[in-house]
Amino acid sequence: MQLKETQKALRAFGKYVVQQSRTNLTKGKKNISKELYDSIGYTIEEVSKGFRLYFEMEDYGMFQDRGVKGVKGGKSLSNFSYKQSSNLIGLESKTGTFSKWASAKRIQFRDKKGRFLSYKQTGFALATIVKNYGIKPSMFFTKPFEKAFTNLPKELQEQFAIDLENLI
């Protein structure tokens, strides 16, 4: 059965969520490398009983959206948390990401004598801070999804009715 209008409503839903999520990333100043921004998308798959809608993004997007609880505190809207037992070797592997972020934002900490630390040293310090205090939830994806989802059933019913009329 061809349900063109229903597909159209699902495409509009997916497009809205993607566009608003990208806007929220930019407005929230979380769009430094544009990697997460570019990775946000959706796919509609036709299955035997209708359609399936998938949203896609980089894995770390979920952590940015829902937050991560740190070892010493912080807030998470999910069960994401850093473990006390994670050692500094694992932290050093993440330093590259934080070093790139510090370099892009032009952030360098100072040592006790007032000299600037390298971006790698600043990245390590940032990684330690994030491990201890976590990542604050931004809800850049959740908010537009929930807003669009409240309108979706009404729109789908209307579009499905149009499809049924066209079939008859």
Side-chain angles (χ1 to χ4, degrees), residues 35-36 39 56-65 80:
E35 188 177 323
L36 180 57
S39 72
E56 304 147 349
M57 72 176 85
E58 287 289 329
D59 292 339
Y60 70 90
M62 288 177 45
F63 302 123
Q64 286 291 327
D65 184 58
F80 301 137

Side-chain angles (χ1 to χ4, degrees), residues 36-95:
L36 180 57
Y37 180 96
D38 291 337
S39 72
I40 301 172
Y42 71 95
T43 305
I44 298 174
E45 181 182 296
E46 197 167 334
V47 293
S48 61
K49 295 182 180 181
F51 301 100
R52 198 171 278 153
L53 177 66
Y54 297 99
F55 286 98
E56 304 147 349
M57 72 176 85
E58 287 289 329
D59 292 339
Y60 70 90
M62 288 177 45
F63 302 123
Q64 286 291 327
D65 184 58
R66 307 298 289 168
V68 181
K69 187 174 182 195
V71 173
K72 295 182 180 178
K75 183 178 179 183
S76 174
L77 301 174
S78 61
N79 292 332
F80 301 137
S81 66
Y82 288 102
K83 304 288 185 232
Q84 179 68 38
S85 63
S86 58
N87 58 19
L88 293 178
I89 295 170
L91 196 58
E92 278 185 27
S93 67
K94 303 292 184 208
T95 302

